[in-house]
Amino acid sequence: QARVLLFKILSDCYILMVKTQNYHWNVRGPHFHSYHQMLGMQYDDLAEAIDMLAERIRTLGFHVSANYKNFVTQATLEEEVGEPDTEEMLKKLTDDHEYLIREIREAIGKLKETEDEGTTDLLVERLRTHEKTAWFLRNHLSNYA
């Protein structure tokens, strides 16, 4: 069960990493520099998270079938195919991080039955990071109160 949950989260993080990198490259506007830096840090965090999730799957004794087709097939998050403006980029990233927050909370709940503290600990750390990232992104949105 942990392998399936972890690979699903890994796949969604992979799609989010690619989307974040895309936005990092293509952000524009008067706040370009600060957004470019923020998205670069988020991209780096997601790259590290992907590595940690894959290593956890391997630690549990499973093979990580890491190819783009598998990630896209398993992920719920969608790739970016358009050219959104900066505000829309931030909104989409906020929505994706909030989706991952819900997904990770659900996975943690399922793992309580297995007593897999190592996986649970990894997911709790990911949960905190996605919560903080969503908070940062929400505070950059012009319609956030």
Side-chain angles (χ1 to χ4, degrees):
Q1 180 175 355
R3 180 190 66 81
V4 173
L5 295 170
L6 285 170
F7 194 77
K8 171 75 171 65
I9 294 166
L10 171 67
S11 297
D12 280 324
C13 283
Y14 188 87
I15 297 300
L16 182 56
M17 179 191 69
V18 172
K19 185 183 290 185
T20 303
Q21 185 178 39
N22 177 7
Y23 294 170
H24 167 75
W25 290 335
N26 291 298
V27 69
R28 56 198 176 275
H31 302 290
F32 166 79
H33 188 263
S34 61
Y35 289 161
H36 182 75
Q37 283 188 314
M38 177 182 70
L39 295 174
M41 290 187 306
Q42 290 174 11
Y43 165 81
D44 289 344
D45 173 72
L46 287 162
E48 184 177 331
I50 289 165
D51 189 55
M52 293 173 69
L53 290 162
E55 287 177 357
R56 183 63 190 166
I57 293 169
R58 292 292 299 135
T59 299
L60 294 173
F62 300 104
H63 177 76
V64 179
S65 186
N67 63 62
Y68 194 71
K69 183 177 180 180
N70 285 344
F71 289 142
V72 170
T73 301
Q74 293 297 313
T76 301
L77 298 181
E78 295 181 5
E79 299 176 88
E80 180 58 65
V81 293
E83 295 181 19
D85 64 25
T86 299
E87 181 81 6
E88 187 63 22
M89 288 177 185
L90 299 179
K91 174 72 170 98
K92 287 181 176 190
L93 291 176
T94 301
D95 291 345
D96 288 352
H97 281 280
E98 289 175 346
Y99 173 81
L100 272 163
I101 290 166
R102 292 187 301 274
E103 181 179 29
I104 292 170
R105 284 180 180 155
E106 184 178 319
I108 290 169
K110 290 178 181 178
L111 286 171
K112 286 182 182 176
E113 303 166 9
T114 68
E115 298 181 6
D116 181 352
E117 287 84 5
T119 301
T120 300
D121 182 58
L122 173 65
L123 292 180
V124 167
E125 184 59 34
R126 286 305 322 145
L127 176 64
R128 285 188 193 110
T129 302
H130 289 291
E131 288 172 336
K132 186 173 184 178
T133 302
W135 170 60
F136 270 58
L137 289 164
R138 275 192 307 273
N139 278 284
H140 281 86
L141 294 171
S142 62
N143 64 350
Y144 180 70

